[in-house]
Amino acid sequence: MKNGVVTNGIRALRIEKGLTQQALAGLVGASRQTIIAVEAGKSAPSLELAFRLARAFEAPFEAVFQYRENDG
């Protein structure tokens, strides 16, 4: 089975919506530290948080999170 990489566009979407990390955290019921880690790709959000993020941006899930299989 191939390994994959999950990336996200949270930072760009957050800036586009004019939200601070703290404001986004409040909207989705997470801490600012969680938003920082997820934005940076250092932590993967729970499935529930991932859906709350997509809803906060009023965007399809795939517009927020992307999956790419590794070739190697």
Side-chain angles (χ1 to χ4, degrees):
M1 183 161 122
K2 291 183 178 182
N3 289 331
V5 176
V6 176
T7 59
N8 71 71
I10 294 172
R11 184 174 190 278
L13 289 164
R14 178 179 60 76
I15 290 169
E16 181 180 303
K17 290 277 188 183
L19 296 169
T20 63
Q21 291 169 330
Q22 187 66 50
L24 178 58
L27 282 174
V28 299
S31 69
R32 180 174 171 261
Q33 290 78 13
T34 297
I35 299 301
I36 291 168
V38 172
E39 269 189 13
K42 295 183 181 199
S43 177
S46 67
L47 188 55
E48 181 181 351
L49 178 56
F51 276 102
R52 282 187 277 162
L53 285 162
R55 287 186 179 151
F57 294 126
E58 299 175 340
F61 190 84
E62 294 82 8
V64 181
F65 297 94
Q66 301 79 40
Y67 177 78
R68 176 178 47 94
E69 286 187 359
N70 286 338
D71 293 331

